[in-house]
Amino acid sequence: MTQTRPLGAQISHMLKDRGVDVIFGIPGVHNQEMYRGIEEAGITHVLARHEQGAGFMADGYARATGKPGVAYVITGPGLTNIMTPMGQAYSDSVPMLVISSCLDETASTNGQLHQMKDQRAAAETVCDWSEEARTAQAAYALIDRALMEFDTRRARPKHVQVPIHLLEADAAAPPPVANQELAGDMKRDELAVSRIVDVLKSAQKPVMVLGGGATTGASLYPKLAEAVGAAVFTSYAGRGIMPPRHPLYFGASLARPESARVLNSADLVLVVGCELAEVDMWRAELGSDAPVIRLDIDPVVLATHQRTQDRVILGEAYEIMRAVLDDAAGHVPATGWKPEDIAQTRDHWRAEVDAERPGIVPVCDALRDCLPDGTMIYSDMTQFAYTAKEVWDMDRPGYWHHPTGFGTLGYATPAAIGGAVARKGKPTMAIIGDYGFHYTMQELGVAVELGLPLPIILWDNGKLKEIEESMVRAQIAPNAIVARNPDFCKLAEAFGANAAAPKTLSEMQTTVRTAFDADGPTLIYLTPEISQTT
């Protein structure tokens, strides 16, 4: 006999059956039925201090595991509070499933607790889709739809809302997990493969631009670059695809103005899994007059920056590019790129970054050199991260996560908590600025509660310095850029966290190493003055 339970409990059991082990959220009177089944289903729940924190934790968990991050929130303000993380996940192609309660009726009744004019429509502005389940079967179908789309399409957040009375009502068990071989269903486009191979083999000075969509099967790209003699740029999301200081690698340097000149010297540009968005290049166009081939899973991306002479290929990058490498094997590589010229250009661009934000590069170098192997990093909107993304080479992809695109402050601390929950026993670290820390500092309590050995690098330059410099460039007298900060170390200690304020780079390195072995989070307070010491 099929077991019946309140639908709220059935949803948790369904998620567990489909591989969900952790849910982030905050219970309330409107979604308490969703909490009835969590412990019984064997799911770990992480109690955030704010729904924004819950969303960023789900984001960080998803980026660390590749599995969807799931969050439970209440009607109205719970949903609006998590919309910022949903918008960030949408920008960065992160699989996140937000399940909320909603009021049973709003058209003829006013003044209800947490009432909104149109909650479903509000959520839809920051996610792939937002739907209301009006039956138990609809709730199950929408959840399965979301999970299937995470596996088969560009991953982006989804929202399902369920009326309160439906969550409380008994429902039959959800359908069993479908037996599907989704990964094997992706067909290889042989025509696309042959086109790419033909132009790569005929090019004398090819360039590959690799984005976050190329991180699956990343090891094939260095081999392909060597096989055809292609120089390589990566986006920030593509860092780690190419080994550090590979002789054909220009780095994550698309944002360098001079990269347009380098790209324009190529006779072919192959763009794989990269949007070529403003936040990738900080200019309107790639800058190359050479023929461009773009390979992406998203047709919207392929329609952007398109020129009549370009070729666009809709498909899954790994399957196609693996075949390209197979066909290119044994080809005599082009010799249009000289490794010594690439190395010299990279050194020149590194010096530019150091001159633009003085003193940060040495701190980046010292911090990188003291991290244990396999450290996963979550960064925030701060000058430290802006610098690091250009000069800090990664030895593997998918290990540095940044709020690109939507560009929200306060991301790093809760996202790193989500990552640390996913990576028990593995090193995880957050990098955040003083102002961004204010946005989600309360989530430090979650890291303490869970006993996470999480170093949080807090870079305090005493102001919104990036905004100050932008105002100066725009000939605006800088104002509203300085906020009074607390004593961050005492604040961390008040939460029960460890805290340290190293004065030298060597002391910083010792502190960071110790933090990875601590019994809870450690806030490591740094100021620009540390770069002047050793």
Side-chain angles (χ1 to χ4, degrees), residues 302-319:
L302 294 177
T304 307
H305 303 296
Q306 187 177 350
R307 304 170 304 177
T308 56
Q309 71 268 36
D310 294 345
R311 295 179 181 177
V312 297
I313 299 170
L314 181 66
E316 200 278 324
Y318 173 64
E319 289 295 332

Side-chain angles (χ1 to χ4, degrees), residues 367-378:
L367 181 58
R368 180 197 61 221
D369 291 345
C370 73
L371 298 184
D373 183 57
T375 298
M376 184 169 285
I377 300 169
Y378 293 83

